[in-house]
Amino acid sequence: MDNKQWEEEIHKNPFDLFMDFHVEKAETESTVLTFENKGSKWDNPNGTMYGGVLYSMADSAMEAACAVCGKAVLTLDLGMNYLRPAFANTTIRAEAQVIHNGRTTMVALCDFYDNDDRYLAHGKGTFFVTGPYVFGDEGGQGDE
């Protein structure tokens, strides 16, 4: 399946569609999503991007990485380390990879960069496997 098909697939999730996440790469060794942080819409009172955007993007990127590995999942746990702020009018890149592909659980990592390749944040998630990922299934990525 190509990146465009994966993007259509993740956009079945209303939140991913609303955020307009884009699939740059969807392979078993790495899944990459991007987000165009246009203007100050997502700024917090400090003038930097709200950390919840990165948190939710980590969840989406790691769930997509699990789907690329053929499994539908639900999030059990997700943690973030914010290393430097993200700013308006930048492209945010989330690079996710599965580090444990088990029968009932999966663990993934997600690293964030801006369009100047500055390392912004690191996430780690644990996911419960609900079954095989079925391409084209409305609930395929898990309904959280």
Side-chain angles (χ1 to χ4, degrees):
M1 186 163 30
D2 67 21
N3 294 348
K4 182 175 174 21
Q5 290 171 306
W6 274 112
E7 187 162 325
E8 290 171 1
E9 195 69 8
I10 70 162
H11 281 177
K12 289 179 182 175
N13 177 319
F15 182 78
D16 291 347
L17 178 62
F18 174 75
M19 293 301 295
D20 199 25
F21 295 148
H22 296 282
V23 176
E24 296 297 318
K25 179 180 175 185
E27 299 173 5
T28 54
E29 71 278 351
S30 177
T31 298
V32 178
L33 299 186
T34 58
F35 170 68
E36 297 292 330
N37 187 25
K38 299 175 184 170
S40 59
K41 176 180 181 179
W42 299 107
D43 278 4
N44 61 33
N46 297 321
T48 60
M49 189 173 80
Y50 176 62
V53 174
L54 294 180
Y55 187 92
S56 59
M57 190 176 185
D59 191 38
S60 293
M62 291 187 286
E63 280 191 17
C66 293
V68 170
C69 290
K71 295 180 181 172
V73 297
L74 296 173
T75 307
L76 290 173
D77 182 60
L78 198 150
M80 290 289 292
N81 295 106
Y82 298 97
L83 307 170
R84 85 179 329 151
F87 296 99
N89 301 312
T90 58
T91 301
I92 308 299
R93 184 175 80 247
E95 298 181 1
Q97 63 178 316
V98 172
I99 62 168
H100 170 70
N101 187 351
R103 185 177 54 80
T104 59
T105 62
M106 297 179 82
V107 177
L109 303 177
C110 188
D111 294 304
F112 290 89
Y113 303 88
D114 67 13
N115 48 319
D116 290 325
D117 278 335
R118 288 180 290 222
Y119 189 36
L120 304 176
H122 171 77
K124 177 183 153 195
T126 304
F127 301 88
F128 177 71
V129 177
T130 61
Y133 185 86
V134 179
F135 180 69
D137 181 22
E138 288 298 316
Q141 272 192 290
D143 295 293
E144 293 188 43

